[in-house]
Amino acid sequence: MNLVRFFVLVFMMISVNNLYSQSKETQEVVAETSKLKKAVETKNESAEAESYYNIGETFFNDRNFSKSEEYFIKSKNIYEKLNDKQNLEKVIRKLAQSQENQNKLKSAQSNYQKASKIGYSKSKRSLNANDASRLSSPVPENKAEAIQSNIQISEKENNKQDLAASYSQMADVNIENKNIPQAEENLNTAYQISKEQAPQQALAINQKLTNFYVDNKDFDKAIKAKKSVLKENFVKENSQKKVEQIQELAEIYIKKNDPKEAIVLLKNAYDIALQKGHTLEAQKSVKKLDSLYNISENTDASVLLYRDFLGKLPDLVSKDRSLVDNKILEDTEQKISQLLQEKKLKDELIRKKNIFNYSLIGVLVLLTGLIIFIFRTLKKVQIKNKKIALQSLRREMNPHFIFNSLNSVNHFIATNNELEANQYLTKFSKLMRGVMENSSEDFIPFQQELDLLQNYLALEKTRFADKFDYEIEVDESLNTQNLKVPGMLIQPFLENAVWHGLRYRTDKGFLSLKFTKNNDLLKITIKDNGIGIEESKKQKTEHQKTREGRGMKNTLERIKLLNDLYKKNIICTVKDSENGVFVEVSMII
């Protein structure tokens, strides 16, 4: 007989690939797998989580709790990532129910507590908290209180599945308290509630009820309960479920020690299985019949049964749908597994690519920062050097001015003109003090600059009294106290006008210095009626030309530095005019 069984199983496995029909549950899983693939491809994580949940619920309703747990966990992980509290609460509750049905009570209790803490709705918080309390409490009364609370919530929300489960749980508490009548009543109530909307749950509750009767040796009630379920439409319309229920009824008769009725029922189950193409159920009926025949030592009946089964096996397998479903489900799960693996690989590639990109960006940012730092440092060094150069240029007084001033003092003393010498020294000391006091500043108040220039021209007038007169005009719109200008920037041009133009005149000349304002522009004009630039060059020695060039060069360098550092846009123009030299200096104020 064992050899025959081996060939039966091999034949069944070979024939699976030739099958093509699908059950409702298989169709649902296949359909959701297609949605899942699309969700993964479009990176729609919410749709991906929903597909996992729907697949898990299909397995849950089919009482395949281990598979449902697997898919609920996948769904939960995504909803946690998305922080979708409403769906997260729903999937964690389902996960806890799957674990409870597998007797994983600690895990179930933990997940009920998690669901209650999410608290998307008050009723769901209470429902999950009650279930967590029911599993954690060792006291039957506390369990009953938690279950009764859930019954009220489920009735209010018309949740038939949870309501039936609660009555079934209450029956467990009744059994624990040895309250047999109440347990029977609650199981019957649970069955009546579930059979309308959840046939699989109803069958499980009916089986629990019949087991309850069998455990209490009340075989007649067990048989009555099983026969009543055979009359239900959801059993009569599902030949596989019908065969399974007939087989369970036969088991009750066997336990009742009524093998004859059991054999009749098993033959009936075998015939239906052959007719409808339920290979595994037919095999199960054959095995049970063989066991009963062996007990009664009816070997001939057993041999005839196996010969009949083997003879009808090809036709039976060709009709069988469950083998196809199992194969399709297996292939579908492999596709899901492959899909997840591909997603994982893609995510890993993206992660590595992102790491490379971020590293590259980081290096570029670092290099950019380093370049900016170096550039700013160099800029600061350049600015510092320019300021040092500007300070050096600013502190320089034309050496021949100081030398000539001292010679003038010497001349006044030599001619016993002590009064002139004292007056000259006083003016010279004031000028030198003003220059030294402002030597550390790039810009000084306009009034101070004006005082310095007036003092300087007064000195030169004292020295060359018969050579020139001068006049200074200041625009009344200029704010002489708040306006700041570069210190002693104009002095070299005045000195050139006196020393290289006016002093060579045979008669008395005139020097004009004007300050005018035009919007944000300050214009400084210097006019003299000296001998002019070209004629002055002819009358100078080579040594004088060298010194003059250096003085003007320093002034122009100073203007360039001021423009670079302070963006004053100082423009200097020096040219011969009809009578003498014309100088114009303009700057933004």
Side-chain angles (χ1 to χ4, degrees):
M1 289 303 162
N2 289 334
L3 186 61
V4 171
R5 292 171 187 170
F6 173 76
F7 282 116
V8 169
L9 292 174
V10 170
F11 185 81
M12 288 165 59
M13 292 174 66
I14 293 172
S15 302
V16 167
N17 292 326
N18 299 321
L19 303 177
Y20 56 88
S21 59
Q22 297 178 21
S23 68
K24 180 183 176 183
E25 290 77 11
T26 305
Q27 289 174 354
E28 289 176 355
V29 172
V30 171
E32 283 299 331
T33 302
S34 297
K35 293 180 183 178
L36 175 63
K37 183 179 180 182
K38 184 178 179 181
V40 171
E41 288 173 349
T42 57
K43 296 183 179 179
N44 188 339
E45 291 186 314
S46 181
E48 184 183 349
E50 184 181 0
S51 290
Y52 283 134
Y53 176 81
N54 291 337
I55 293 172
E57 192 168 38
T58 299
F59 281 121
F60 183 89
N61 292 334
D62 202 38
R63 313 299 287 179
N64 190 342
F65 298 115
S66 60
K67 282 292 179 186
S68 67
E69 178 186 12
E70 179 183 336
Y71 287 97
F72 285 144
I73 288 172
K74 290 176 182 177
S75 179
K76 175 183 76 75
N77 291 339
I78 298 174
Y79 280 134
E80 281 179 338
K81 180 182 175 183
L82 298 174
N83 197 28
D84 186 343
K85 291 187 177 181
Q86 184 176 9
N87 284 311
L88 184 59
E89 182 184 54
K90 176 181 70 176
V91 74
I92 291 178
R93 176 166 178 77
K94 277 290 185 181
L95 174 60
Q97 289 174 335
S98 295
Q99 291 169 335
E100 184 179 356
N101 278 289
Q102 297 175 78
N103 208 33
K104 297 180 180 179
L105 301 183
K106 285 187 177 179
S107 297
Q109 179 191 339
S110 175
N111 281 312
Y112 280 131
Q113 286 175 339
K114 286 179 183 177
S116 69
K117 287 178 182 177
I118 292 171
Y120 184 78
S121 67
K122 184 178 179 181
S123 60
K124 291 291 190 296
R125 277 200 304 270
S126 300
L127 207 64
N128 289 305
N130 287 335
D131 280 323
S133 176
R134 170 176 57 83
L135 291 181
S136 63
S137 177
V139 181
E141 288 74 14
N142 293 342
K143 292 181 181 179
E145 185 179 348
I147 295 168
Q148 187 58 46
S149 176
N150 276 359
I151 287 173
Q152 293 172 357
I153 294 170
S154 298
E155 284 178 341
K156 185 177 180 180
E157 296 191 346
N158 197 29
N159 188 333
K160 299 291 186 182
Q161 196 169 5
D162 278 355
L163 183 60
S166 293
Y167 275 109
S168 178
Q169 292 159 5
M170 187 66 84
D172 291 336
V173 175
N174 299 145
I175 293 169
E176 190 177 351
N177 287 331
K178 301 188 184 303
N179 189 345
I180 304 305
Q182 192 62 49
E184 181 181 0
E185 181 183 340
N186 283 324
L187 283 173
N188 278 306
T189 302
Y191 173 74
Q192 293 299 324
I193 293 170
S194 61
K195 71 178 184 177
E196 295 177 7
Q197 296 181 2
Q200 289 288 359
Q201 185 185 29
L203 290 175
I205 291 172
N206 178 265
Q207 188 60 44
K208 186 175 179 180
L209 179 62
T210 55
N211 290 340
F212 168 73
Y213 287 136
V214 170
D215 290 342
N216 285 280
K217 307 300 181 181
D218 196 343
F219 296 109
D220 291 337
K221 282 188 176 182
I223 291 167
K224 182 180 178 182
K226 190 56 65 177
K227 284 182 176 180
S228 68
V229 84
L230 281 166
K231 296 176 183 178
E232 300 289 354
N233 288 333
F234 59 81
V235 174
K236 289 191 293 184
E237 293 170 1
N238 188 327
S239 56
Q240 184 176 348
K241 297 299 179 187
K242 185 175 181 180
V243 171
E244 289 174 353
Q245 295 304 310
I246 292 172
Q247 288 172 342
E248 288 174 5
L249 180 58
E251 281 289 334
I252 297 172
Y253 276 106
I254 291 171
K255 290 176 181 178
K256 189 183 177 183
N257 200 21
D258 188 353
K260 289 182 180 181
E261 188 63 30
I263 289 171
V264 172
L265 289 168
L266 288 171
K267 283 182 177 181
N268 184 25
Y270 174 64
D271 290 339
I272 296 171
L274 289 177
Q275 182 184 355
K276 298 296 184 180
H278 303 306
T279 308
L280 296 177
E281 283 71 22
Q283 182 194 16
K284 185 177 178 182
S285 296
V286 169
K287 287 175 68 176
K288 285 189 175 294
L289 284 168
D290 178 55
S291 177
L292 291 174
Y293 288 145
N294 284 335
I295 292 171
S296 61
E297 297 181 354
N298 191 348
T299 306
D300 293 338
S302 181
V303 172
L304 288 172
L305 177 65
Y306 271 107
R307 284 178 179 174
D308 182 71
F309 180 58
L310 288 173
K312 294 176 179 177
L313 187 58
D315 183 57
L316 174 62
V317 171
S318 67
K319 296 177 183 177
D320 200 335
R321 189 173 67 178
S322 62
L323 297 177
V324 167
D325 291 341
N326 292 335
K327 179 63 176 174
I328 290 173
L329 285 175
E330 183 181 341
D331 291 343
T332 301
E333 288 199 84
Q334 285 180 355
K335 287 179 182 178
I336 293 173
S337 179
Q338 185 179 357
L339 193 65
L340 289 174
Q341 192 65 28
E342 289 175 359
K343 181 187 177 185
K344 187 177 179 182
L345 289 173
K346 286 180 181 178
D347 290 344
E348 182 65 18
L349 286 173
I350 291 171
R351 187 184 69 83
K352 288 181 178 179
K353 185 178 178 181
N354 287 340
I355 288 174
F356 175 77
N357 290 339
Y358 292 145
S359 300
L360 185 60
I361 291 170
V363 170
L364 290 174
V365 169
L366 187 63
L367 286 174
T368 304
L370 184 61
I371 291 169
I372 291 171
F373 173 76
I374 292 171
F375 176 78
R376 286 182 176 178
T377 302
L378 290 174
K379 191 73 174 175
K380 287 179 181 178
V381 170
Q382 288 176 349
I383 291 172
K384 187 174 182 180
N385 288 339
K386 286 179 180 180
K387 286 187 175 182
I388 291 172
L390 184 61
Q391 189 178 44
S392 176
L393 291 170
R394 189 173 60 245
R395 287 179 176 176
E396 285 187 13
M397 283 290 291
N398 197 321
H400 75 264
F401 162 67
I402 299 174
F403 178 76
N404 288 334
S405 295
L406 294 175
N407 276 341
S408 296
V409 174
N410 187 46
H411 171 72
F412 290 137
I413 294 172
T415 58
N416 292 318
N417 194 346
E418 292 182 10
L419 179 61
E420 291 287 345
N422 286 333
Q423 289 177 346
Y424 191 89
L425 275 174
T426 300
K427 292 176 182 177
F428 180 72
S429 64
K430 285 182 180 179
L431 176 63
M432 293 304 297
R433 184 183 300 165
V435 171
M436 297 304 294
E437 284 177 351
N438 295 294
S439 63
S440 62
E441 301 295 332
D442 292 334
F443 293 89
I444 63 174
F446 178 78
Q447 186 61 53
Q448 288 186 23
E449 171 69 359
L450 189 60
D451 292 341
L452 288 172
L453 294 177
Q454 286 175 335
N455 201 356
Y456 169 72
L457 288 174
L459 278 174
E460 297 292 31
K461 173 67 175 170
T462 302
R463 185 183 301 167
F464 304 110
D466 57 342
K467 291 294 182 180
F468 75 98
D469 289 322
Y470 69 91
E471 136 181 284
I472 299 175
E473 293 183 23
V474 179
D475 194 327
E476 292 181 356
S477 63
L478 283 171
N479 189 333
T480 59
Q481 298 300 323
N482 295 329
L483 175 62
K484 289 193 174 184
V485 294
M488 292 294 282
L489 185 67
I490 305 302
Q491 185 271 334
F493 298 107
L494 296 176
E495 185 174 346
N496 280 345
V498 173
W499 280 83
H500 305 300
L502 294 171
R503 77 167 179 154
Y504 292 110
R505 284 179 60 91
T506 55
D507 56 346
K508 201 172 209 180
F510 187 76
L511 175 62
S512 172
L513 173 61
K514 290 184 180 180
F515 296 90
T516 58
K517 180 184 177 185
N518 185 9
N519 295 326
D520 291 334
L521 197 66
L522 173 64
K523 282 189 179 182
I524 305 168
T525 55
I526 303 169
K527 292 182 182 179
D528 70 75
N529 57 358
I531 62 174
I533 296 173
E534 295 302 322
E535 185 62 27
S536 176
K537 286 180 180 179
K538 294 176 184 179
Q539 297 187 24
K540 293 175 185 174
T541 64
E542 291 299 322
H543 181 63
Q544 287 175 325
K545 289 179 182 178
T546 302
R547 292 200 303 172
E548 178 190 15
R550 182 185 172 193
M552 288 305 299
K553 182 181 177 182
N554 285 354
T555 301
L556 294 175
E557 283 182 5
R558 189 177 169 201
I559 289 173
K560 182 181 178 182
L561 287 171
L562 286 168
N563 285 335
D564 286 346
L565 288 170
Y566 300 106
K567 312 301 179 188
K568 286 293 184 179
N569 196 25
I570 301 173
I571 299 173
C572 176
T573 304
V574 181
K575 61 183 179 180
D576 271 328
S577 64
E578 293 181 0
N579 296 311
V581 177
F582 175 81
V583 178
E584 183 179 83
V585 178
S586 64
M587 68 182 74
I588 297 172
I589 57 174

